[in-house]
Structure formats: C-alpha cells, structure tokens
mmCIF file of all heavy atoms in Angstrom:
data_model
loop_
_atom_site.group_PDB
_atom_site.id
_atom_site.type_symbol
_atom_site.label_atom_id
_atom_site.label_comp_id
_atom_site.label_asym_id
_atom_site.label_seq_id
_atom_site.Cartn_x
_atom_site.Cartn_y
_atom_site.Cartn_z
ATOM 1 N N ARG D 581 -31.180 -46.775 -32.375
ATOM 2 C CA ARG D 581 -30.674 -47.710 -33.373
ATOM 3 C C ARG D 581 -31.736 -48.054 -34.412
ATOM 4 O O ARG D 581 -31.425 -48.277 -35.573
ATOM 5 C CB ARG D 581 -30.196 -48.998 -32.692
ATOM 6 C CG ARG D 581 -29.038 -48.795 -31.739
ATOM 7 C CD ARG D 581 -28.678 -50.078 -30.988
ATOM 8 N NE ARG D 581 -27.606 -49.809 -30.032
ATOM 9 C CZ ARG D 581 -26.303 -49.851 -30.338
ATOM 10 N NH1 ARG D 581 -25.931 -50.171 -31.552
ATOM 11 N NH2 ARG D 581 -25.399 -49.585 -29.417
ATOM 12 N N HIS D 582 -32.976 -48.093 -33.972
ATOM 13 C CA HIS D 582 -34.042 -48.659 -34.804
ATOM 14 C C HIS D 582 -35.356 -47.993 -34.408
ATOM 15 O O HIS D 582 -35.515 -47.536 -33.275
ATOM 16 C CB HIS D 582 -34.105 -50.183 -34.570
ATOM 17 C CG HIS D 582 -35.100 -50.903 -35.398
ATOM 18 N ND1 HIS D 582 -36.398 -51.107 -34.990
ATOM 19 C CD2 HIS D 582 -34.997 -51.484 -36.617
ATOM 20 C CE1 HIS D 582 -37.043 -51.785 -35.922
ATOM 21 N NE2 HIS D 582 -36.220 -52.017 -36.914
ATOM 22 N N VAL D 583 -36.298 -47.964 -35.330
ATOM 23 C CA VAL D 583 -37.586 -47.334 -35.041
ATOM 24 C C VAL D 583 -38.301 -48.006 -33.870
ATOM 25 O O VAL D 583 -39.067 -47.364 -33.138
ATOM 26 C CB VAL D 583 -38.486 -47.332 -36.295
ATOM 27 C CG1 VAL D 583 -38.950 -48.744 -36.647
ATOM 28 C CG2 VAL D 583 -39.677 -46.399 -36.114
ATOM 29 N N GLY D 584 -38.028 -49.294 -33.665
ATOM 30 C CA GLY D 584 -38.651 -50.000 -32.561
ATOM 31 C C GLY D 584 -38.193 -49.526 -31.199
ATOM 32 O O GLY D 584 -38.789 -49.899 -30.184
ATOM 33 N N HIS D 585 -37.160 -48.693 -31.147
ATOM 34 C CA HIS D 585 -36.645 -48.174 -29.882
ATOM 35 C C HIS D 585 -37.321 -46.873 -29.457
ATOM 36 O O HIS D 585 -37.119 -46.427 -28.324
ATOM 37 C CB HIS D 585 -35.141 -47.920 -29.989
ATOM 38 C CG HIS D 585 -34.330 -49.176 -30.044
ATOM 39 N ND1 HIS D 585 -32.949 -49.158 -30.019
ATOM 40 C CD2 HIS D 585 -34.675 -50.485 -30.121
ATOM 41 C CE1 HIS D 585 -32.494 -50.402 -30.085
ATOM 42 N NE2 HIS D 585 -33.526 -51.217 -30.145
ATOM 43 N N VAL D 586 -38.059 -46.232 -30.345
ATOM 44 C CA VAL D 586 -38.628 -44.926 -29.993
ATOM 45 C C VAL D 586 -39.920 -45.102 -29.210
ATOM 46 O O VAL D 586 -40.658 -46.070 -29.427
ATOM 47 C CB VAL D 586 -38.877 -44.069 -31.259
ATOM 48 C CG1 VAL D 586 -37.587 -43.812 -32.003
ATOM 49 C CG2 VAL D 586 -39.908 -44.704 -32.180
ATOM 50 N N PRO D 587 -40.193 -44.183 -28.270
ATOM 51 C CA PRO D 587 -39.344 -43.055 -27.874
ATOM 52 C C PRO D 587 -38.190 -43.487 -26.972
ATOM 53 O O PRO D 587 -38.376 -44.339 -26.099
ATOM 54 C CB PRO D 587 -40.306 -42.143 -27.131
ATOM 55 C CG PRO D 587 -41.338 -43.065 -26.575
ATOM 56 C CD PRO D 587 -41.490 -44.165 -27.574
ATOM 57 N N MET D 588 -37.025 -42.921 -27.215
ATOM 58 C CA MET D 588 -35.837 -43.198 -26.408
ATOM 59 C C MET D 588 -35.236 -41.870 -25.980
ATOM 60 O O MET D 588 -34.948 -41.023 -26.825
ATOM 61 C CB MET D 588 -34.827 -44.020 -27.213
ATOM 62 C CG MET D 588 -33.486 -44.217 -26.526
ATOM 63 S SD MET D 588 -32.334 -45.225 -27.487
ATOM 64 C CE MET D 588 -32.921 -46.861 -27.056
ATOM 65 N N VAL D 589 -35.083 -41.677 -24.669
ATOM 66 C CA VAL D 589 -34.507 -40.436 -24.158
ATOM 67 C C VAL D 589 -33.397 -40.764 -23.167
ATOM 68 O O VAL D 589 -33.407 -41.807 -22.515
ATOM 69 C CB VAL D 589 -35.569 -39.554 -23.476
ATOM 70 C CG1 VAL D 589 -36.620 -39.106 -24.476
ATOM 71 C CG2 VAL D 589 -36.221 -40.270 -22.306
ATOM 72 N N TYR D 590 -32.457 -39.856 -23.062
ATOM 73 C CA TYR D 590 -31.348 -40.075 -22.132
ATOM 74 C C TYR D 590 -31.809 -39.899 -20.688
ATOM 75 O O TYR D 590 -31.265 -40.503 -19.762
ATOM 76 C CB TYR D 590 -30.199 -39.109 -22.445
ATOM 77 C CG TYR D 590 -30.372 -37.734 -21.858
ATOM 78 C CD1 TYR D 590 -29.820 -37.405 -20.620
ATOM 79 C CD2 TYR D 590 -31.129 -36.756 -22.508
ATOM 80 C CE1 TYR D 590 -30.002 -36.156 -20.061
ATOM 81 C CE2 TYR D 590 -31.307 -35.503 -21.958
ATOM 82 C CZ TYR D 590 -30.746 -35.204 -20.740
ATOM 83 O OH TYR D 590 -30.939 -33.967 -20.187
ATOM 84 N N SER D 591 -32.827 -39.056 -20.475
ATOM 85 C CA SER D 591 -33.249 -38.702 -19.112
ATOM 86 C C SER D 591 -34.356 -39.620 -18.614
ATOM 87 O O SER D 591 -35.369 -39.163 -18.082
ATOM 88 C CB SER D 591 -33.709 -37.247 -19.080
ATOM 89 O OG SER D 591 -34.708 -37.016 -20.058
ATOM 90 N N HIS D 592 -34.148 -40.911 -18.780
ATOM 91 C CA HIS D 592 -35.107 -41.895 -18.306
ATOM 92 C C HIS D 592 -34.929 -42.124 -16.799
ATOM 93 O O HIS D 592 -33.942 -41.697 -16.191
ATOM 94 C CB HIS D 592 -34.921 -43.213 -19.062
ATOM 95 C CG HIS D 592 -33.507 -43.739 -18.989
ATOM 96 N ND1 HIS D 592 -33.015 -44.398 -17.883
ATOM 97 C CD2 HIS D 592 -32.493 -43.702 -19.885
ATOM 98 C CE1 HIS D 592 -31.755 -44.739 -18.091
ATOM 99 N NE2 HIS D 592 -31.410 -44.327 -19.307
ATOM 100 N N MET D 593 -35.887 -42.817 -16.220
ATOM 101 C CA MET D 593 -35.777 -43.135 -14.793
ATOM 102 C C MET D 593 -34.814 -44.309 -14.580
ATOM 103 O O MET D 593 -34.545 -45.092 -15.497
ATOM 104 C CB MET D 593 -37.153 -43.466 -14.220
ATOM 105 C CG MET D 593 -38.148 -42.332 -14.307
ATOM 106 S SD MET D 593 -37.558 -40.842 -13.449
ATOM 107 C CE MET D 593 -38.916 -39.706 -13.804
ATOM 108 N N ARG D 594 -34.338 -44.451 -13.367
ATOM 109 C CA ARG D 594 -33.347 -45.485 -13.060
ATOM 110 C C ARG D 594 -33.963 -46.880 -13.115
ATOM 111 O O ARG D 594 -33.346 -47.813 -13.617
ATOM 112 C CB ARG D 594 -32.760 -45.207 -11.667
ATOM 113 C CG ARG D 594 -31.650 -46.161 -11.254
ATOM 114 C CD ARG D 594 -31.009 -45.652 -9.975
ATOM 115 N NE ARG D 594 -30.090 -46.637 -9.415
ATOM 116 C CZ ARG D 594 -28.846 -46.832 -9.842
ATOM 117 N NH1 ARG D 594 -28.383 -46.104 -10.841
ATOM 118 N NH2 ARG D 594 -28.070 -47.738 -9.276
ATOM 119 N N THR D 595 -35.196 -47.034 -12.656
ATOM 120 C CA THR D 595 -35.948 -48.293 -12.564
ATOM 121 C C THR D 595 -35.343 -49.219 -11.520
ATOM 122 O O THR D 595 -34.234 -48.989 -11.019
ATOM 123 C CB THR D 595 -36.059 -49.037 -13.904
ATOM 124 O OG1 THR D 595 -34.888 -49.815 -14.156
ATOM 125 C CG2 THR D 595 -36.360 -48.102 -15.053
ATOM 126 N N PHE D 596 -36.068 -50.314 -11.227
ATOM 127 C CA PHE D 596 -35.586 -51.261 -10.221
ATOM 128 C C PHE D 596 -34.514 -52.200 -10.772
ATOM 129 O O PHE D 596 -33.938 -52.994 -10.030
ATOM 130 C CB PHE D 596 -36.758 -52.085 -9.675
ATOM 131 C CG PHE D 596 -37.377 -52.995 -10.697
ATOM 132 C CD1 PHE D 596 -36.902 -54.283 -10.897
ATOM 133 C CD2 PHE D 596 -38.446 -52.559 -11.473
ATOM 134 C CE1 PHE D 596 -37.467 -55.110 -11.836
ATOM 135 C CE2 PHE D 596 -39.016 -53.387 -12.417
ATOM 136 C CZ PHE D 596 -38.525 -54.668 -12.604
ATOM 137 N N ASP D 597 -34.231 -52.126 -12.085
ATOM 138 C CA ASP D 597 -33.207 -52.983 -12.694
ATOM 139 C C ASP D 597 -32.244 -52.141 -13.532
ATOM 140 O O ASP D 597 -32.144 -52.293 -14.744
ATOM 141 C CB ASP D 597 -33.871 -54.038 -13.577
ATOM 142 C CG ASP D 597 -32.857 -55.013 -14.179
ATOM 143 O OD1 ASP D 597 -31.747 -55.150 -13.613
ATOM 144 O OD2 ASP D 597 -33.169 -55.605 -15.222
ATOM 145 N N PRO D 598 -31.512 -51.220 -12.898
ATOM 146 C CA PRO D 598 -30.650 -50.329 -13.681
ATOM 147 C C PRO D 598 -29.518 -51.058 -14.390
ATOM 148 O O PRO D 598 -29.091 -50.637 -15.457
ATOM 149 C CB PRO D 598 -30.110 -49.348 -12.623
ATOM 150 C CG PRO D 598 -30.224 -50.088 -11.324
ATOM 151 C CD PRO D 598 -31.449 -50.933 -11.451
ATOM 152 N N ASP D 599 -29.032 -52.166 -13.829
ATOM 153 C CA ASP D 599 -27.906 -52.867 -14.440
ATOM 154 C C ASP D 599 -28.295 -53.559 -15.744
ATOM 155 O O ASP D 599 -27.433 -53.877 -16.563
ATOM 156 C CB ASP D 599 -27.334 -53.899 -13.465
ATOM 157 C CG ASP D 599 -26.723 -53.242 -12.233
ATOM 158 O OD1 ASP D 599 -26.321 -52.066 -12.335
ATOM 159 O OD2 ASP D 599 -26.662 -53.893 -11.181
ATOM 160 N N GLY D 600 -29.587 -53.795 -15.937
ATOM 161 C CA GLY D 600 -30.025 -54.457 -17.169
ATOM 162 C C GLY D 600 -30.543 -53.500 -18.215
ATOM 163 O O GLY D 600 -31.236 -53.910 -19.155
ATOM 164 N N ARG D 601 -30.191 -52.233 -18.067
ATOM 165 C CA ARG D 601 -30.748 -51.213 -18.956
ATOM 166 C C ARG D 601 -30.460 -51.497 -20.423
ATOM 167 O O ARG D 601 -31.295 -51.256 -21.297
ATOM 168 C CB ARG D 601 -30.177 -49.850 -18.573
ATOM 169 C CG ARG D 601 -30.832 -48.690 -19.308
ATOM 170 C CD ARG D 601 -32.170 -48.349 -18.707
ATOM 171 N NE ARG D 601 -32.997 -47.609 -19.665
ATOM 172 C CZ ARG D 601 -34.221 -47.173 -19.407
ATOM 173 N NH1 ARG D 601 -34.765 -47.404 -18.235
ATOM 174 N NH2 ARG D 601 -34.897 -46.505 -20.302
ATOM 175 N N ASP D 602 -29.256 -51.998 -20.738
ATOM 176 C CA ASP D 602 -28.911 -52.225 -22.143
ATOM 177 C C ASP D 602 -29.414 -53.573 -22.646
ATOM 178 O O ASP D 602 -29.106 -53.980 -23.763
ATOM 179 C CB ASP D 602 -27.397 -52.119 -22.349
ATOM 180 C CG ASP D 602 -26.624 -53.195 -21.605
ATOM 181 O OD1 ASP D 602 -27.224 -53.854 -20.728
ATOM 182 O OD2 ASP D 602 -25.427 -53.371 -21.890
ATOM 183 N N GLN D 603 -30.220 -54.284 -21.835
ATOM 184 C CA GLN D 603 -30.716 -55.602 -22.228
ATOM 185 C C GLN D 603 -32.244 -55.639 -22.280
ATOM 186 O O GLN D 603 -32.856 -56.690 -22.162
ATOM 187 C CB GLN D 603 -30.208 -56.657 -21.241
ATOM 188 C CG GLN D 603 -28.690 -56.716 -21.158
ATOM 189 C CD GLN D 603 -28.217 -57.532 -19.969
ATOM 190 O OE1 GLN D 603 -29.001 -58.188 -19.280
ATOM 191 N NE2 GLN D 603 -26.913 -57.487 -19.717
ATOM 192 N N ARG D 604 -32.877 -54.497 -22.463
ATOM 193 C CA ARG D 604 -34.338 -54.456 -22.491
ATOM 194 C C ARG D 604 -34.899 -55.202 -23.696
ATOM 195 O O ARG D 604 -36.017 -55.699 -23.661
ATOM 196 C CB ARG D 604 -34.828 -53.012 -22.503
ATOM 197 C CG ARG D 604 -34.434 -52.201 -21.265
ATOM 198 C CD ARG D 604 -35.160 -52.696 -20.009
ATOM 199 N NE ARG D 604 -35.022 -51.744 -18.909
ATOM 200 C CZ ARG D 604 -34.331 -51.959 -17.814
ATOM 201 N NH1 ARG D 604 -33.680 -53.098 -17.652
ATOM 202 N NH2 ARG D 604 -34.273 -51.040 -16.868
ATOM 203 N N TYR D 605 -34.164 -55.219 -24.807
ATOM 204 C CA TYR D 605 -34.546 -56.004 -25.976
ATOM 205 C C TYR D 605 -33.599 -57.197 -26.080
ATOM 206 O O TYR D 605 -32.392 -57.055 -25.890
ATOM 207 C CB TYR D 605 -34.448 -55.171 -27.261
ATOM 208 C CG TYR D 605 -35.309 -53.926 -27.257
ATOM 209 C CD1 TYR D 605 -34.733 -52.657 -27.149
ATOM 210 C CD2 TYR D 605 -36.694 -54.006 -27.381
ATOM 211 C CE1 TYR D 605 -35.514 -51.512 -27.154
ATOM 212 C CE2 TYR D 605 -37.478 -52.866 -27.385
ATOM 213 C CZ TYR D 605 -36.882 -51.618 -27.272
ATOM 214 O OH TYR D 605 -37.657 -50.493 -27.277
ATOM 215 N N TRP D 606 -34.131 -58.367 -26.425
ATOM 216 C CA TRP D 606 -33.246 -59.532 -26.489
ATOM 217 C C TRP D 606 -32.512 -59.635 -27.815
ATOM 218 O O TRP D 606 -31.506 -60.340 -27.930
ATOM 219 C CB TRP D 606 -34.026 -60.824 -26.250
ATOM 220 C CG TRP D 606 -35.118 -61.124 -27.252
ATOM 221 C CD1 TRP D 606 -36.439 -60.881 -27.100
ATOM 222 C CD2 TRP D 606 -34.955 -61.740 -28.546
ATOM 223 N NE1 TRP D 606 -37.136 -61.282 -28.210
ATOM 224 C CE2 TRP D 606 -36.239 -61.831 -29.118
ATOM 225 C CE3 TRP D 606 -33.870 -62.240 -29.273
ATOM 226 C CZ2 TRP D 606 -36.468 -62.376 -30.386
ATOM 227 C CZ3 TRP D 606 -34.090 -62.779 -30.527
ATOM 228 C CH2 TRP D 606 -35.370 -62.849 -31.076
ATOM 229 N N ASP D 607 -33.003 -58.908 -28.849
ATOM 230 C CA ASP D 607 -32.422 -59.087 -30.179
ATOM 231 C C ASP D 607 -31.290 -58.111 -30.488
ATOM 232 O O ASP D 607 -30.527 -58.329 -31.436
ATOM 233 C CB ASP D 607 -33.501 -58.974 -31.263
ATOM 234 C CG ASP D 607 -34.312 -57.698 -31.164
ATOM 235 O OD1 ASP D 607 -34.401 -57.130 -30.069
ATOM 236 O OD2 ASP D 607 -34.877 -57.275 -32.193
ATOM 237 N N GLU D 608 -31.167 -57.020 -29.726
ATOM 238 C CA GLU D 608 -30.047 -56.098 -29.912
ATOM 239 C C GLU D 608 -29.995 -55.170 -28.701
ATOM 240 O O GLU D 608 -30.954 -55.099 -27.931
ATOM 241 C CB GLU D 608 -30.181 -55.286 -31.200
ATOM 242 C CG GLU D 608 -31.336 -54.327 -31.258
ATOM 243 C CD GLU D 608 -31.308 -53.507 -32.552
ATOM 244 O OE1 GLU D 608 -30.213 -53.119 -32.991
ATOM 245 O OE2 GLU D 608 -32.385 -53.287 -33.122
ATOM 246 N N PRO D 609 -28.885 -54.457 -28.507
ATOM 247 C CA PRO D 609 -28.782 -53.585 -27.334
ATOM 248 C C PRO D 609 -29.884 -52.533 -27.336
ATOM 249 O O PRO D 609 -30.294 -52.029 -28.386
ATOM 250 C CB PRO D 609 -27.398 -52.937 -27.493
ATOM 251 C CG PRO D 609 -26.640 -53.873 -28.365
ATOM 252 C CD PRO D 609 -27.645 -54.468 -29.306
ATOM 253 N N SER D 610 -30.352 -52.189 -26.165
ATOM 254 C CA SER D 610 -31.367 -51.145 -26.053
ATOM 255 C C SER D 610 -30.722 -49.817 -25.677
ATOM 256 O O SER D 610 -31.327 -48.986 -24.996
ATOM 257 C CB SER D 610 -32.434 -51.538 -25.035
ATOM 258 O OG SER D 610 -31.845 -51.845 -23.787
ATOM 259 N N THR D 611 -29.505 -49.646 -26.111
ATOM 260 C CA THR D 611 -28.786 -48.380 -25.939
ATOM 261 C C THR D 611 -28.865 -47.596 -27.246
ATOM 262 O O THR D 611 -29.085 -48.166 -28.317
ATOM 263 C CB THR D 611 -27.314 -48.647 -25.598
ATOM 264 O OG1 THR D 611 -26.770 -49.552 -26.568
ATOM 265 C CG2 THR D 611 -27.186 -49.256 -24.221
ATOM 266 N N PRO D 612 -28.697 -46.288 -27.197
ATOM 267 C CA PRO D 612 -28.765 -45.504 -28.431
ATOM 268 C C PRO D 612 -27.567 -45.746 -29.330
ATOM 269 O O PRO D 612 -26.497 -46.179 -28.872
ATOM 270 C CB PRO D 612 -28.791 -44.058 -27.926
ATOM 271 C CG PRO D 612 -28.137 -44.101 -26.597
ATOM 272 C CD PRO D 612 -28.497 -45.437 -26.009
ATOM 273 N N LEU D 613 -27.749 -45.448 -30.604
ATOM 274 C CA LEU D 613 -26.617 -45.485 -31.521
ATOM 275 C C LEU D 613 -25.666 -44.339 -31.199
ATOM 276 O O LEU D 613 -24.443 -44.518 -31.160
ATOM 277 C CB LEU D 613 -27.115 -45.390 -32.970
ATOM 278 C CG LEU D 613 -26.071 -45.619 -34.057
ATOM 279 C CD1 LEU D 613 -25.519 -47.042 -33.984
ATOM 280 C CD2 LEU D 613 -26.668 -45.350 -35.441
ATOM 281 N N TYR D 614 -26.245 -43.143 -30.955
ATOM 282 C CA TYR D 614 -25.472 -41.972 -30.528
ATOM 283 C C TYR D 614 -26.247 -41.296 -29.400
ATOM 284 O O TYR D 614 -27.445 -41.055 -29.516
ATOM 285 C CB TYR D 614 -25.275 -40.982 -31.681
ATOM 286 C CG TYR D 614 -24.703 -41.595 -32.937
ATOM 287 C CD1 TYR D 614 -25.457 -41.651 -34.100
ATOM 288 C CD2 TYR D 614 -23.410 -42.114 -32.954
ATOM 289 C CE1 TYR D 614 -24.948 -42.211 -35.257
ATOM 290 C CE2 TYR D 614 -22.886 -42.679 -34.104
ATOM 291 C CZ TYR D 614 -23.667 -42.729 -35.261
ATOM 292 O OH TYR D 614 -23.153 -43.299 -36.399
ATOM 293 N N PRO D 615 -25.572 -40.956 -28.302
ATOM 294 C CA PRO D 615 -26.289 -40.393 -27.153
ATOM 295 C C PRO D 615 -26.654 -38.924 -27.337
ATOM 296 O O PRO D 615 -26.078 -38.221 -28.182
ATOM 297 C CB PRO D 615 -25.280 -40.556 -26.008
ATOM 298 C CG PRO D 615 -23.945 -40.501 -26.685
ATOM 299 C CD PRO D 615 -24.140 -41.181 -28.016
ATOM 300 N N PHE D 616 -27.594 -38.474 -26.553
ATOM 301 C CA PHE D 616 -27.937 -37.060 -26.507
ATOM 302 C C PHE D 616 -26.681 -36.243 -26.198
ATOM 303 O O PHE D 616 -25.865 -36.606 -25.356
ATOM 304 C CB PHE D 616 -28.986 -36.820 -25.415
ATOM 305 C CG PHE D 616 -29.315 -35.375 -25.190
ATOM 306 C CD1 PHE D 616 -30.220 -34.720 -26.001
ATOM 307 C CD2 PHE D 616 -28.714 -34.664 -24.157
ATOM 308 C CE1 PHE D 616 -30.518 -33.381 -25.796
ATOM 309 C CE2 PHE D 616 -29.012 -33.326 -23.944
ATOM 310 C CZ PHE D 616 -29.914 -32.682 -24.770
ATOM 311 N N GLY D 617 -26.518 -35.135 -26.905
ATOM 312 C CA GLY D 617 -25.356 -34.275 -26.699
ATOM 313 C C GLY D 617 -24.120 -34.698 -27.453
ATOM 314 O O GLY D 617 -23.088 -34.017 -27.393
ATOM 315 N N HIS D 618 -24.203 -35.810 -28.202
ATOM 316 C CA HIS D 618 -23.037 -36.358 -28.897
ATOM 317 C C HIS D 618 -22.639 -35.491 -30.082
ATOM 318 O O HIS D 618 -23.483 -34.947 -30.788
ATOM 319 C CB HIS D 618 -23.345 -37.769 -29.378
ATOM 320 C CG HIS D 618 -22.305 -38.355 -30.290
ATOM 321 N ND1 HIS D 618 -21.079 -38.781 -29.845
ATOM 322 C CD2 HIS D 618 -22.319 -38.582 -31.636
ATOM 323 C CE1 HIS D 618 -20.382 -39.260 -30.862
ATOM 324 N NE2 HIS D 618 -21.110 -39.152 -31.957
#
C-alpha cells in the first residue's frame, strides 16, 4: 500500500500472532494492496 510497508512478501512466517497479521501498523492495514500472483 505504501513505501513504509516494504519489504512485504506473501511468503512470510506465521509468527506467534498470526491472527493480528493485518494489524501490524496502527494507522492502516498491513496487508498488501494487491497480493502476489494477482
């Protein structure tokens, strides 16, 4: 979505908090604008 998100890859690790993956940034979603393979 924004330069502040890079590097962003689809093949990231699950981490100990997988359910909060889209909440890593408080100011906007930490999900991609368009996913890999889109």
